[in-house]
Amino acid sequence: MDRLHTVPLPDRTALEQGLWHWLKAQPGPVWMTQPGQDPNRHRVVITLLHGNEPSGSHGVWHWLTRGEIPAVTCHFCLINLQAALAEPGFAHRHLPGQPDLNRCFGTPAASESEHPAWQLTHALWQRISALQPEAVVDLHNTSGSGPSFAVATVNDERHRALASLFTERMLLTEVMLGALMERTNTRFPIVTIECGGAVDPQAITVASEGITRFCLAEAIDRVTEGDWRLEVLERPLRVQLSPGCAVDYAERPSDWADLTLPPDIERLNFGWLGADEPLGWLGSLGLKAITVNDGHGQLDPGSLFYQDGDRLCLAQGCKLFMITTHPQIAVSDCLFYAVRAEE
Ligand SMILES: [Zn+2]
């Protein structure tokens, strides 16, 4: 882990040689400044806090290649190049033994404040605060495949306007993990943009088009007429496997798993599902294999699901998202999130 380096914008030769070539030549986490038409106003794009989420860096690169002058001075910060550059490239969220940088923006424990990762996030935050920017966006990719969405902790016009520059959906969360967007405040809004899966070709388009709008728009503090309508999803429930339980992804019930989900379950990402929709199959533990958490505590899994024979069914209309089909992620993180339909 390293300090923040102020570096010049890539020149024409570097732009022609490409992002990967340029990244390899950088000294560590980098900060670049592009003067705008109005040099007294500032906006900040952060990306690569996670080394395996490259769409934001492609988006920044695409914007710089356009050679346009932004409306206000724009700053681009690419953070975890060390993890991004580690073989085979864009494959590591963070290096083994290093903390997740987007969990280092909370209050550090006494044992953590001297750690280089925490010092880096502290330096980044000092730099952003000193600028007093109009807004900050932090670009990421989801681990599974799926459409883009924004994540915010505040639902007001400034946050919605910022999210609308990139995507059609905004997820409101109350779960505090130590992410950068949790530092949002009354002076400048901060939102996370999940551009879609790192494997999804449209994720780079989301990042490129969003950054272009973010840089060129004269004002970004209100939702302008004619914009797509932003859907705000509130109170997401985190659906996890219960400790010690196993999941399988298969077309029919697995004889060893406590939960079997179809391999193409990602196609349900962000679509409305009606009550009684079958999602998969339960094993001998039934609904005990599933844990549901609303960010404040555990809920009865029966509030979201019911069991019909061995089928796992939705008890009410829901939207599911961040669905994974990676068993390791399902076990270590979660199966998916759910937002219930308004009754
Ligand atoms: Zn991320």
Side-chain angles (χ1 to χ4, degrees):
M1 214 52 71
D2 201 350
R3 66 186 180 85
L4 202 52
H5 301 263
T6 302
V7 300
L9 293 166
D11 60 17
R12 187 125 305 279
T13 313
L15 287 170
E16 279 165 14
Q17 286 171 327
L19 171 65
W20 186 248
H21 191 273
W22 180 84
L23 284 176
K24 283 197 293 187
Q26 299 311 305
V30 292
W31 180 289
M32 299 176 277
T33 299
Q34 184 180 32
Q37 310 273 14
D38 182 348
N40 299 315
R41 291 158 60 195
H42 301 268
R43 294 173 194 163
V44 179
V45 177
I46 308 286
T47 196
L48 276 184
L49 273 170
H50 294 145
N52 59 345
E53 300 175 9
S55 295
S57 58
H58 288 295
V60 169
W61 197 257
H62 180 268
W63 160 252
L64 296 176
T65 306
R66 289 171 69 107
E68 289 192 68
I69 299 171
V72 309
T73 294
C74 288
H75 305 264
F76 305 95
C77 189
L78 281 60
I79 306 286
N80 204 343
L81 300 202
Q82 217 186 359
L85 290 168
E87 291 290 328
F90 293 134
H92 302 271
R93 185 178 173 94
H94 52 83
L95 290 184
Q98 294 289 339
D100 181 332
L101 286 175
N102 208 25
R103 299 291 179 266
C104 297
F105 288 94
T107 308
S111 60
E112 290 170 332
S113 58
E114 296 302 312
H115 191 287
W118 284 86
Q119 298 211 329
L120 176 62
T121 54
H122 179 70
L124 175 60
W125 182 248
Q126 295 293 109
R127 184 104 188 222
I128 294 171
S129 305
L131 268 182
Q132 289 292 311
E134 294 179 338
V136 179
V137 286
D138 177 23
L139 275 63
H140 290 256
N141 290 106
T142 46
S143 51
S145 184
S148 64
F149 60 99
V151 191
T153 56
V154 175
N155 180 15
D156 65 9
E157 173 136 32
R158 293 185 318 151
H159 289 79
R160 288 193 298 269
L162 199 49
S164 303
L165 292 169
F166 289 83
T167 182
E168 298 149 66
R169 307 168 195 86
M170 186 170 91
L171 176 63
L172 263 185
T173 176
E174 298 174 354
V175 185
M176 295 297 168
L177 302 167
L180 173 59
M181 56 130 190
E182 295 162 24
R183 292 254 183 146
T184 198
N185 56 77
T186 52
R187 290 163 295 137
F188 54 90
I190 310 175
V191 300
T192 295
I193 305 294
E194 297 283 357
C195 300
V199 293
D200 298 329
Q202 80 272 15
I204 294 179
T205 311
V206 168
S208 303
E209 293 183 353
I211 290 171
T212 301
R213 282 187 281 265
F214 181 73
C215 293
L216 289 179
E218 190 47 46
I220 54 170
D221 58 348
R222 55 189 58 231
V223 181
T224 50
E225 221 161 301
D227 280 355
W228 50 44
R229 220 179 95 82
L230 186 76
E231 179 185 21
V232 179
L233 297 158
E234 295 183 72
R235 292 184 297 278
L237 303 174
R238 193 161 187 251
V239 180
Q240 291 172 281
L241 271 180
S242 298
C245 288
V247 63
D248 193 11
Y249 293 90
E251 301 286 359
R252 53 184 57 84
S254 161
D255 50 13
W256 53 266
D258 303 294
L259 172 67
T260 308
L261 296 171
D264 63 349
I265 186 160
E266 283 179 332
R267 77 190 155 77
L268 301 182
N269 259 321
F270 284 112
W272 277 115
L273 303 172
D276 307 321
E277 174 88 16
L279 294 180
W281 300 271
L282 292 161
S284 56
L285 289 173
L287 284 176
K288 288 198 184 76
I290 293 175
T291 308
V292 179
N293 193 299
D294 66 357
H296 300 289
Q298 288 199 5
L299 306 184
D300 175 7
S303 61
L304 196 57
F305 306 108
Y306 68 89
Q307 183 171 3
D308 178 20
D310 65 348
R311 301 301 303 244
L312 170 70
C313 299
L314 279 178
Q316 63 180 104
C318 270
K319 203 165 240 201
L320 308 186
F321 55 93
M322 289 185 87
I323 303 170
T324 189
T325 50
H326 295 279
Q328 302 94 315
I329 293 171
V331 170
S332 66
D333 189 19
C334 72
L335 296 160
F336 50 78
Y337 288 82
V339 171
R340 289 181 276 193
E342 304 274 322
E343 300 247 311

